[in-house]
């Protein structure tokens, strides 16, 4: 069996890529699609540097066999555009040092806030438990999550609509 | 020399999956959530000839409660492809088996729980995972299907060693059954290092139909359970402090713990005595609070 | 190439978002060149073995292999001791020592090819403990110990080749025997600290190519571009200017990305292949690349009954592993940090840097001070207990103040140890009860001597470009330097550019270590901007700090500028399991003048959190030289939910100098937590403070208190 073709939606665009069945999605996103925000640190699903959203939920692309992405919606930080409220909150608070873990943190917080628009500090810390930052920016990352919650709430207030859907 | 590229088998029905499983046998590595398979491949510990994914079999992801078990108690049926996250967030589970929901919420990170499945974690039989010890203590069983039919295997009989199960090469684990009628259930995860660490000692203590079942996980190749020690609680309304201490000490003496990065065998033995006792104290409080103990005791 | 790299650290009101939040930042691991190959290293499975034969005959034709025969004729290297060849040519000295390498079309093809290389070894006896390695008859790692001509070998070294010692640093201050004779009380203890991994999120990554005219170009995550260039020049017999080092921002470094790591191997492969070659390490290989020095430290401390310190003798054994790297420097700094910031008339220090068959140990955030402070500050609390004194009062009684001479003979200026101690004591509620509370103070030197230089150039569009070798690893140095330049040039920070450092363009700098860059470059910048304003086009400035210590007496100038800080911790212990919970951690750091407050806060928080990991669980474990926890499941680092209440003071003083903040808060954290445990009667000598060690120590206490006196 040779390489196979895998189809999924990446940041809103349908894509078709070549991959071997035992390759991880992380390798494919970097090699075939040129994405650099997904990064390998642990290779075990522990650190969160390779986080992407799969159908809106965070997963570790370093331990997701690429063919399992077939038909799914994959979101990486490249798909947020740069001015997403969570990204703005990270900039305002300066919640990063080397920036390597930052995309994973942003996606994890985005997913959290879509489910819980106003989490307390404890909930945020728990949600971030599996995203490691060796620079040790956790205090400011928690602040950024709180700030992002406020920015999102502000956006919802400004655009009241049925269901007040979270902004993505 | 080039590494053979594995076949990707993606059946869309259980029948097709069983047929492929029977045909490939041990040649095919079954992929449920794929987290463990991913880790093994990354570490160079697995070079599968074929990967058999169950992801596209919609009929394997479900959570149902049935009242039809022999004792008339409810039975929770969990499709093998149910993710940890789905179980942890199911109102059905949170209401009827709260200990399952809270324990699955302790596994790894939200990312892993979005991917990993209940069937997968049992079939992996990793000694340091949280769910096996709890499911063992709850008296859960799994359904193993093959083209020849199906059999029910208790979790106790399923996990036979380090990453080793009693599943046959032509069988697929398709369902997990958790009995109801629980009067109290506790899971304690003792971590010796980071809050994100796997357990150094895990204790599940369950009382169902007046009988106590204590299972200790993460300390040996497979979950540790000693019915003769648990029998000390037989006929008791609750578990008093002295009994809790005695059961803890007996468990510590009975288990031959292993040593790993999370603690030496010697240390684990010490912690087993403490954590089993604490689990029983927690269980006692729970039984008193719900009145379950006195009601059930005849 | 370098100009195209995005730069981090823009402020929040620009239209362009920070490349760290968009993922657009490019690290060394992201650099790509057309036709490049991917490298993989073949490593020794033996801790000490003669390399008999390397067989590459089963490799596919399109794979390039590098074997000992390819590198035998190349120069020896080493930033302080020349003890290393590009591959282990004669003997492999640790499990993981590179013996061969391959380059292939994909990372996967390279991994598979590496497995096809067969190596025959003859196993030799090995030694893993530094104290044992100094004993007569211990296996000898290196026959000759030539001192390097790299300018990282900036101080006198005293190798003792026949006993595995690559440096013996001494302090001889006063008369130690007389000092102990004057003491009413003497306490003595031996401490151990383990090896630890930096765990930068981005692994080591580098890419090399040779140009048509025979120049070597290397893209690599490095804190030491000029030291790297010097060693590569020696290896390849090239003039330094024939080598170009480009240093993209790093996804964390913490000391690990220093000097020659894999750049020489990749350059050899690229030369042989005639194509660019790139290497990105697998995570487990990080543990085989560079770790923190395990230490054994013996402290003997004498005082008068009133608590006045009179004599201190310290012996340090710094286990540097198979190759010296900058171990001699670490042993020196461990040595001169170990007396602590106290007035002690009689001080005698012997600090040995010792070879063993472990992976190399080198620079690690805290650089020898973490180990020294653990031993020194734990001993202060032993003394306080013996004398029945308050540990804070004991420290305040002896701590250095302005104008005091340190045991190196240098006069101390701008001294704030007492301020730091009082601040942490206040924040932890020291005076409301000391049970479960502990504190520690530190002094840590900055690289001395060193030189920093910088060029500022005016661009046609009215913006400015700073040419500077300072490496960016998340500490925010590029932004801090841009802010300082902007302030002096009177323009917004967005008008000052900081391209990725390229040794073809930037002027010399010693290196980005020891929290020196903002301070040193900040001073160099003043002159550069002054010149630029004069001629309107270009300005050059440099800053030199002079000094150094006599290796045989430890007298001289250890540091032209001291990092000063203190930590306090409050803990709770589960006495049945030994599990330690840190409730509150506070540090107070003398910051002089803060340039960029958010970055300063982040550096300090990060140091505290890394210190917490070192205190509680970070430890590389070995079995006969084999790392047994080379992954992030078996080696934990602190996570968000591990944090206690964390607070701190960055103490500023109007008109003060800039003080580096990159590491100061790390070393006192383990000692403060250890002392908090000691306030409960639990005396743990060895880091980390695992529940197992705490339980054992709390039982010793019970046995001791039960025993008749």
């Amino acid at each position: 069996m040779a390489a196979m073709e895998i189809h999924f939606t990446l940041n809103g665009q349908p894509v078709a890529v070549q991959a071997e069945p035992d390759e991880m999605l992380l390798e494919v996103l970097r090699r075939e699609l040129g994405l650099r925000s997904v990064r390998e640190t642990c290779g075990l699903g522990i650190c969160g540097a390779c986080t992407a959203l799969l159908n809106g939920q965070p997963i570790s692309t370093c331990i997701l066999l690429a063919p399992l992405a077939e038909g799914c919606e994959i979101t990486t930080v490249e798909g947020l555009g740069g001015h997403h409220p969570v990204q703005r909150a990270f900039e305002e608070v300066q919640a990063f040092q080397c920036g390597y873990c930052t995309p994973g943190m942003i996606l994890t917080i985005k997913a959290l806030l879509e489910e819980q628009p106003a989490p307390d500090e404890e909930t945020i810390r728990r949600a971030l438990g599996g995203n490691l930052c060796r620079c040790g920016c956790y205090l400011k990352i928690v602040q950024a999550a709180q700030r992002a919650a406020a920015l999102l709430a502000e956006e919802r207030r400004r655009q009241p609509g049925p269901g007040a859907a979270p902004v993505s | 020399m080039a590494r053979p590229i594995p076949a990707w088998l993606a059946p869309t029905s259980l029948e097709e999956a069983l047929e492929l499983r029977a045909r490939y046998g041990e040649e095919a590595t079954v992929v449920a959530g794929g987290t463990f398979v991913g880790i093994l491949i990354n570490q160079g510990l697995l070079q599968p000839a074929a990967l058999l994914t169950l992801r596209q079999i919609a009929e394997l992801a479900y959570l149902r409660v049935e009242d039809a078990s022999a004792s008339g108690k409810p039975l929770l049926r969990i499709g093998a492809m149910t993710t940890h996250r789905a179980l942890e967030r199911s109102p059905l589970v949170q209401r009827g088996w709260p200990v399952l929901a809270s324990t699955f919420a302790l596994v790894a990170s939200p990312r892993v729980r979005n991917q990993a499945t209940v069937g997968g974690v049992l079939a992996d039989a990793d000694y340091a995972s949280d769910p096996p010890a709890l499911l063992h203590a709850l008296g859960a069983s799994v359904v193993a299907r093959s083209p020849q039919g199906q059999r029910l295997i208790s979790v106790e009989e399923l996990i036979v060693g380090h990453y080793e199960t009693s599943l046959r090469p032509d069988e697929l684990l398709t369902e997990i059954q958790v009995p109801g009628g629980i009067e109290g259930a506790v899971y304690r995860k003792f971590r010796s290092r980071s809050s994100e660490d796997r357990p150094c000692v895990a204790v599940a203590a369950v009382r169902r139909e007046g009988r106590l079942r204590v299972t200790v996980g993460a300390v040996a190749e497979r979950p540790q359970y000693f019915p003769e020690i648990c029998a000390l609680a037989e006929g008791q309304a609750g578990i008093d402090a002295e009994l809790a201490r005695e059961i803890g000490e007996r468990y510590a003496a009975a288990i031959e713990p292993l040593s790993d990065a999370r603690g030496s065998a010697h240390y684990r033995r010490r912690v087993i005595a403490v954590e089993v006792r604490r689990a029983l104290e927690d269980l006692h409080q729970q039984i008193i609070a719900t009145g379950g103990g006195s009601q059930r005791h005849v | 190439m370098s100009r195209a790299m995005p730069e981090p650290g823009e402020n929040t009101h620009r239209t362009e978002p920070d490349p760290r939040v968009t993922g657009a930042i490019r690290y060394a691991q992201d650099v790509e060149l057309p036709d490049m190959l991917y490298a993989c290293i073949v490593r020794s499975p033996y801790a000490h073995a003669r390399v008999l034969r390397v067989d590459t005959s089963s490799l596919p034709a399109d794979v390039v292999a590098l074997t000992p025969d390819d590198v035998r004729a190349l120069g020896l290297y080493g930033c302080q001791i020349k003890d290393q060849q590009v591959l282990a040519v004669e003997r492999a000295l640790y499990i993981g020592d590179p013996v061969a390498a391959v380059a292939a079309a994909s990372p996967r093809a390279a991994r598979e090819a590496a497995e096809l290389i067969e190596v025959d070894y003859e196993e030799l006896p090995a030694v893993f403990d530094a104290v044992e390695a100094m004993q007569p008859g211990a296996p000898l790692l290196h026959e000759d110990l030539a001192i390097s001509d790299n300018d990282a070998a900036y101080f006198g070294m005293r190798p003792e080749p026949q006993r595995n010692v690559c440096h013996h640093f001494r302090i001889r201050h006063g008369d130690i025997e007389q000092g102990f004779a004057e003491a009413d009380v003497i306490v003595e203890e031996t401490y151990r600290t383990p090896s630890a991994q930096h765990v930068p999120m981005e692994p080591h990554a580098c890419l090399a190519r040779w140009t048509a005219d025979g120049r070597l170009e290397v893209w690599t995550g490095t804190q030491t571009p000029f030291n790297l260039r010097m060693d590569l020049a020696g290896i390849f017999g090239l003039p330094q200017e024939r080598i170009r080092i480009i240093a993209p921002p790093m996804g964390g470094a913490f000391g690990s990305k220093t000097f020659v790591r894999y750049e020489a191997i990749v350059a050899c492969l690229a030369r042989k292949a005639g194509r660019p070659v790139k290497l990105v390490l697998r995570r487990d290989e990080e543990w085989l690349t560079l770790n923190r020095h395990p230490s054994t430290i013996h402290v003997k401390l004498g005082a008068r009954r009133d608590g006045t310190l009179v004599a201190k003798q310290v012996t340090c054994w710094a286990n540097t592993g198979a190759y010296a790297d900058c171990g001699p420097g670490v042993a020196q700094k461990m040595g001169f940090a170990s007396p602590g910031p106290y007035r002690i008339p009689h001080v005698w220090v012997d600090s040995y840097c010792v070879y063993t068959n472990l992976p190399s140990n080198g620079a690690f955030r805290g650089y020898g001070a973490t180990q020294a402070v653990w031993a020194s500050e734990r001993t202060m609390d032993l003394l306080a207990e013996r004398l029945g004194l308050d540990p804070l009062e004991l420290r305040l009684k002896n701590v250095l103040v302005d104008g005091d001479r340190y045991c190196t003979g240098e006069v101390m200026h701008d001294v704030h140890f007492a301020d730091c101690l009082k601040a942490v004591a206040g924040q932890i509620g020291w005076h409301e009860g000391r049970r479960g509370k502990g504190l520690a103070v530190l002094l840590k030197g900055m690289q001395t001597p060193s030189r920093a230089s910088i060029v500022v150039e005016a661009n046609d569009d009215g913006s400015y470009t700073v040419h500077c070798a300072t490496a960016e690893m998340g500490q925010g140095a590029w932004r801090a330097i841009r802010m300082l330049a902007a302030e002096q040039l009177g323009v917004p920070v967005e008008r000052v550019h900081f391209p990725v450092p390229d040794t073809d363009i930037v002027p010399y700098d010693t290196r980005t270590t020891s929290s020196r860059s903002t301070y040193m470059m900040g001073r160099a910048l003043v002159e550069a901007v002054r010149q630029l304003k004069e001629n309107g086009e270009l300005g050059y400035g440099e800053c030199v700090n002079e000094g150094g210590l006599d290796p045989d007496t430890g007298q001289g100038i250890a540091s032209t500028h001291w990092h000063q800080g203190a930590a306090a911790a409050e803990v709770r212990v589960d006495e049945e399991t030994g599990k330690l919970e840190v409730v509150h951690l506070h540090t107070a750091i003398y910051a002089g003048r803060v340039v960029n407050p958010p970055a300063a806060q982040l550096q300090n928080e990060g140091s505290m959190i890394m210190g917490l990991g070192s205190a509680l669980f970070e430890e590389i474990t070995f079995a006969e030289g084999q790392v047994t926890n080379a992954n992030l499941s078996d080696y934990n680092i602190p996570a968000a939910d591990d944090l206690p209440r964390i607070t701190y003071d960055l103490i500023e003083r109007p008109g003060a100098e800039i003080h580096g903040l990159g590491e100061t808060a790390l070393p006192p954290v383990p000692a403060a937590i250890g002392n908090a445990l000691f306030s409960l009667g639990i005396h743990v000598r060895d880091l980390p403070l695992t529940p197992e060690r705490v339980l054992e120590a709390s039982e010793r206490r019970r046995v001791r208190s039960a025993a008749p006196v």
Side-chain angles (χ1 to χ4, degrees):
Chain A
M1 185 137 180
M4 57 195 288
E5 193 170 88
I6 301 165
H7 314 81
F8 53 91
T9 305
L10 175 67
N11 296 326
Q13 299 294 320
V15 293
V17 293
Q18 295 291 312
E20 291 177 10
D22 59 349
E23 278 192 291
M24 303 304 149
L25 183 63
L26 172 62
E27 295 168 55
V28 176
L29 292 176
R30 288 185 67 92
R31 186 192 63 225
E32 300 292 316
L33 296 160
L35 296 178
R36 293 289 177 266
S37 74
V38 279
R39 299 161 181 151
E40 177 156 337
T41 293
C42 70
L44 302 172
I46 286 175
C47 75
C50 68
T51 301
L53 302 181
L54 184 144
N55 299 337
Q57 293 296 318
I59 46 107
S60 293
T61 59
C62 76
I63 54 169
L64 184 76
L65 287 161
L68 292 177
E70 179 70 34
C72 294
E73 271 185 41
I74 302 291
T75 307
T76 68
V77 104
E78 283 91 346
L80 302 191
H83 300 282
H84 186 279
V86 182
Q87 290 174 306
R88 277 170 24 223
F90 266 72
E91 287 224 40
E92 278 184 34
V93 177
Q94 292 282 293
F96 39 72
Q97 293 186 56
C98 77
Y100 199 89
C101 70
T102 312
M105 294 284 181
I106 287 173
L107 291 173
T108 301
I109 291 168
K110 176 179 183 286
L112 169 71
L113 296 179
E114 280 170 13
E115 287 176 2
Q116 288 179 267
D120 59 16
E121 192 182 325
E122 172 98 22
T123 307
I124 296 168
R125 280 194 186 200
R126 289 245 170 95
L128 291 175
N131 286 77
L132 299 176
C133 170
R134 186 56 158 168
C135 297
C137 303
Y138 298 124
L139 300 182
K140 291 208 169 19
I141 292 169
V142 171
Q143 283 173 28
Q146 290 165 327
R147 178 69 187 135
L151 288 173
L152 283 162
E154 211 171 288
E155 283 198 2
R156 278 193 300 271
R157 267 198 306 280
R158 258 189 274 127
Q159 310 164 317
V167 183
S168 67
Chain B
M1 67 127 252
R3 175 192 59 95
I5 296 172
W8 180 256
L9 311 173
T12 52
S13 72
L14 180 56
E15 266 159 32
E16 195 189 339
L18 289 170
E19 193 269 315
L20 287 166
R21 172 76 165 147
R23 187 181 342 146
Y24 280 85
E26 279 166 350
E27 292 275 278
T29 298
V30 178
V31 178
T35 51
F36 190 51
V37 172
I39 289 168
L40 292 178
I41 291 174
N42 285 345
Q43 302 277 305
L45 298 172
L46 177 69
Q47 286 197 353
L51 290 160
L52 171 60
T53 173
L54 308 181
R55 174 66 68 98
Q56 294 184 46
I57 308 175
E59 60 193 290
L60 283 181
Y62 56 84
L63 283 159
R64 279 199 292 270
V65 177
E66 282 179 21
D67 287 326
S69 73
S71 59
K73 299 285 182 331
L75 181 73
L76 177 65
R77 292 173 175 271
I78 307 167
M81 288 297 287
T82 305
T83 63
H84 286 38
R85 203 72 164 148
L87 183 80
E88 145 200 358
R89 295 179 160 200
S90 153
L92 199 72
V93 176
Q94 286 171 351
R95 244 188 344 263
W97 288 263
V99 71
L100 262 184
S102 59
T103 301
F104 273 79
L106 292 174
V107 176
S109 65
R111 287 189 314 282
V112 169
R113 300 201 297 276
N114 279 325
Q115 199 185 329
T117 64
V118 183
V121 72
L122 285 175
D124 295 340
D126 183 332
Y127 77 99
S129 291
D130 297 284
L134 176 69
L135 288 165
H136 185 289
L138 287 169
S141 300
V142 302
V143 175
R145 289 274 302 266
S146 73
Q148 280 71 48
Q150 70 174 52
R151 61 186 180 124
L152 200 62
I153 313 170
S154 69
V155 169
E156 193 173 349
E157 290 162 338
L158 175 73
I159 300 174
V160 295
H162 226 45
Y163 305 110
E164 217 185 311
T165 67
S166 55
L167 288 174
R168 298 184 196 124
D170 66 342
E171 281 179 327
L172 286 174
L173 194 165
T174 57
E175 185 181 271
I176 298 89
Q177 300 183 351
V178 187
I182 293 158
E183 291 133 27
V186 168
Y187 181 77
R188 288 182 64 92
K189 179 175 187 171
F190 177 80
R191 301 175 189 86
S192 57
R193 305 181 301 179
S194 168
S195 58
E196 295 303 309
D197 203 2
R198 310 187 81 193
C200 169
V201 172
V203 181
V206 175
R207 203 165 81 151
R208 193 163 61 89
E209 294 169 353
R211 308 188 68 159
L212 175 69
R213 222 174 136 98
V214 175
T215 305
V216 180
V219 297
E221 288 195 353
R222 52 192 297 254
Q224 299 288 299
Y225 165 55
F226 298 91
E228 65 284 3
I229 302 176
C230 293
L232 293 173
E234 205 100 324
Q236 306 279 325
I239 304 154
D240 64 28
E242 182 51 34
L243 183 57
R245 191 193 55 76
E246 185 178 353
I247 293 175
E249 280 174 8
R250 289 203 184 199
Y251 258 77
I255 294 171
E256 283 296 335
L258 49 72
S259 293
D260 65 13
R262 296 174 285 273
S264 70
H266 171 75
Y267 177 68
R268 275 197 161 94
R269 201 181 283 274
R270 301 287 310 271
V271 175
I272 290 166
V274 175
E275 285 293 305
V276 167
R277 191 201 76 220
R278 288 175 177 174
L280 293 173
E281 288 166 356
D282 293 350
L283 184 65
H284 181 70
Q285 290 306 316
Q286 212 181 81
I287 292 168
I288 288 175
T290 57
S294 53
Q295 276 171 24
R296 293 285 165 203
H297 182 60
V298 181
Chain C
M1 181 86 203
S2 67
R3 288 302 180 92
M5 293 278 183
E7 53 196 78
E10 296 298 332
N11 85 3
T12 53
H13 302 296
R14 288 177 321 134
T15 43
E16 272 301 287
D18 189 295
R20 288 170 286 190
V21 305
T22 58
I25 187 170
R26 293 292 176 265
Y27 304 102
Q29 73 167 21
D30 301 320
V31 178
E32 287 176 347
L33 290 173
D35 294 326
M36 69 181 188
L37 299 175
Y38 297 85
C40 184
I41 312 282
V42 178
R43 296 173 182 279
S44 168
Y46 297 105
H48 192 189
R50 206 173 299 287
V51 181
L52 301 177
R53 189 183 65 105
V54 177
D55 180 358
T56 61
S57 59
S58 30
L59 287 181
D62 63 343
V63 171
V64 177
L66 190 72
T67 68
D69 286 340
D70 295 315
V71 304
R72 217 176 285 278
L74 298 178
L76 285 170
Y77 73 94
C79 60
Q80 293 186 337
I81 304 279
K82 275 191 178 183
D83 57 10
Q84 202 160 0
Q85 280 184 280
V86 174
L87 296 170
V89 168
E90 299 297 333
R91 284 180 296 144
L93 296 181
Y94 68 93
I95 296 174
D97 205 352
V99 291
V102 295
S106 72
R108 182 174 258 192
R111 274 200 306 277
E112 286 165 7
E115 285 171 17
L116 296 175
I117 293 188
E118 285 179 27
V119 185
D120 293 340
Y121 298 92
E122 177 195 338
E123 203 177 350
L124 298 168
V127 63
F128 308 110
D129 177 81
V131 179
E132 283 172 30
M134 282 177 63
Q135 301 304 310
L140 196 63
L141 274 88
H142 298 279
E143 303 285 342
D144 300 307
L145 298 179
I147 290 169
S148 175
D149 40 17
N150 193 302
D151 70 6
Y154 59 89
F155 57 93
M157 269 172 272
R158 295 292 180 261
E160 300 172 8
Q162 292 314 305
R163 53 195 299 235
N164 286 324
V165 172
C166 59
H167 185 41
H168 177 186
F169 168 75
R170 298 170 176 86
I171 295 178
R172 299 292 181 260
H173 172 69
D175 180 334
I176 195 70
E177 282 180 22
Q178 185 198 325
F180 283 120
E182 288 171 11
D184 297 318
V185 167
I186 294 171
V187 290
E188 217 170 332
E189 187 57 280
T190 304
Y191 305 87
R192 284 186 186 80
T193 65
S195 195
Q197 221 313 291
H198 309 74
V199 195
M201 299 295 282
E202 181 202 19
H204 283 81
C206 57
L207 186 155
R209 80 167 163 203
W210 293 81
T211 61
D213 63 346
R215 293 191 77 209
L216 170 60
E217 297 184 329
V218 180
W219 286 257
T220 182
T222 184
Q223 301 173 237
T224 61
F226 283 98
N227 299 131
L228 171 62
R229 194 176 71 162
M230 280 173 219
D231 267 358
L232 290 176
I235 290 167
F236 293 107
L238 289 172
Q240 285 187 44
E241 54 285 3
R242 300 289 290 162
I243 298 173
R244 177 184 180 201
I245 309 292
I246 299 151
M250 286 168 271
F254 315 109
S256 69
K257 295 173 182 172
T258 42
F259 309 111
V260 178
R261 298 271 73 94
Y262 293 98
E263 293 86 350
I265 292 176
V266 169
C268 287
L269 281 167
R271 188 154 71 170
K272 201 168 173 186
R275 289 165 69 173
V277 174
K278 177 176 173 179
L279 174 70
V280 179
L281 281 196
R282 292 191 318 266
R283 181 52 49 180
D284 61 291
E285 293 181 290
E286 291 292 328
W287 278 258
L288 306 175
T289 298
L290 198 75
N291 301 314
R292 187 178 70 196
H293 284 76
S295 75
T296 302
I297 301 182
H298 180 82
V299 181
K300 182 177 174 187
L301 179 63
R304 293 191 205 285
R305 218 172 305 282
D306 68 355
T308 306
L309 301 180
V310 288
K312 185 168 186 181
Q313 183 170 9
V314 184
T315 310
C316 309
W317 291 264
N319 182 337
T320 206
Y323 301 100
D325 200 76
C326 64
V330 172
Q332 186 216 44
K333 288 192 171 58
M334 198 183 291
F336 74 66
S338 66
Y342 302 112
R343 275 185 311 276
I344 314 175
H346 308 285
V347 175
W348 190 305
V349 174
D350 291 274
S351 186
Y352 299 96
C353 186
V354 188
Y355 288 118
T356 65
N357 296 104
L358 293 183
S360 288
N361 297 303
F364 190 112
R365 195 179 205 176
Y367 207 85
T370 307
Q371 296 94 326
V373 172
W374 170 249
S376 173
E377 286 296 283
R378 292 285 293 102
T379 308
M380 285 300 278
D381 275 34
L382 295 186
L383 179 66
E385 190 205 36
R386 180 74 68 83
L387 291 168
L389 292 175
D390 175 335
L392 174 65
E393 294 309 317
L394 175 67
R395 285 175 173 82
L396 291 176
K397 187 181 181 73
N398 292 286
V399 88
L400 293 166
V401 297
D402 258 354
D404 276 346
R405 276 184 194 278
Y406 191 44
C407 60
T408 53
E410 66 211 90
V411 177
M412 307 295 282
H413 299 290
D414 201 13
V415 176
H416 298 273
F417 299 109
D419 300 336
C420 292
L421 274 167
K422 286 175 189 163
V424 297
Q427 290 297 326
I428 206 81
W430 186 259
H431 300 292
E432 289 106 63
R434 306 204 301 259
R435 239 185 111 66
K437 295 172 189 170
L439 36 82
V441 62
L442 109 153
L443 92 169
K444 184 185 173 299
M446 188 191 72
Q447 180 64 45
T448 304
S450 80
R451 180 159 65 92
S453 45
I454 195 165
V455 167
V456 185
E457 186 183 0
N459 303 319
D460 293 342
D461 64 358
S463 69
Y464 297 88
T465 301
V466 169
H467 298 289
C468 168
T470 294
E472 177 58 53
M473 46 197 157
Q475 85 280 38
W478 291 0
R479 181 163 179 86
I481 291 166
R482 288 172 59 218
M483 287 173 74
L484 287 168
E487 181 185 290
Q488 290 165 33
L489 291 160
V491 296
V493 69
E494 291 72 32
R495 305 292 284 161
V496 180
H497 307 293
F498 194 124
V500 164
D502 173 344
T503 56
D504 272 8
I505 298 169
V506 297
Y508 177 85
D509 176 46
T510 300
R511 56 194 154 269
T512 307
T513 57
S514 74
S515 312
R516 64 181 279 280
S517 294
T518 312
Y519 169 75
M520 293 290 291
M521 281 297 174
R523 291 162 75 108
L525 189 64
V526 174
E527 172 59 17
V529 170
R530 196 193 58 76
Q531 268 188 27
L532 172 84
K533 283 179 175 165
E534 259 176 33
N535 66 33
E537 285 176 5
L538 201 66
Y540 170 84
E542 85 175 26
C543 173
V544 177
N545 62 335
E546 310 262 16
L549 293 177
D550 180 323
D552 302 315
T553 63
Q555 299 304 294
I557 307 279
S559 181
T560 52
H561 172 103
W562 289 96
H563 301 314
Q564 307 166 45
E570 183 176 359
V571 306
R572 269 199 294 260
V573 177
D574 176 343
E575 297 255 349
E576 287 189 290
T577 62
K579 178 114 189 194
L580 170 64
E581 184 197 352
V582 179
V583 181
H584 183 193
L585 192 60
H586 186 88
T587 57
I589 304 304
Y590 179 59
R593 177 167 84 91
V594 171
V595 178
N596 183 11
Q601 292 158 12
L602 283 162
Q603 283 283 286
N604 201 65
E605 292 164 13
S607 293
M608 291 173 73
I609 291 167
M610 206 175 241
L612 193 71
S614 278
L616 299 183
F617 44 70
E618 288 192 41
E619 171 175 27
I620 303 180
T621 51
F622 296 93
E624 294 297 301
Q626 170 80 56
V627 180
T628 56
N629 57 352
N631 62 69
L632 284 181
S633 177
D634 292 324
Y635 186 99
N636 285 180
I637 61 172
D641 213 17
D642 287 331
L643 305 192
R645 182 176 162 227
I646 285 185
T647 53
Y648 53 91
D649 302 305
L650 300 178
I651 300 173
E652 291 190 78
R653 190 173 62 78
E657 302 180 313
I658 295 162
H659 271 245
L661 291 166
E663 332 169 63
T664 315
L666 194 166
V669 165
I673 295 173
N675 283 337
L677 261 182
F678 186 62
S679 76
L680 302 170
I682 302 171
H683 176 39
V684 185
R685 301 175 187 92
D686 302 343
L687 285 175
L689 302 165
T690 59
E692 196 156 355
R693 286 205 178 98
V694 171
L695 186 63
E696 194 197 321
S698 75
E699 258 147 32
R700 273 203 312 271
R701 168 193 62 182
R702 276 189 214 116
V703 171
R704 203 174 47 209
S705 55
V709 181

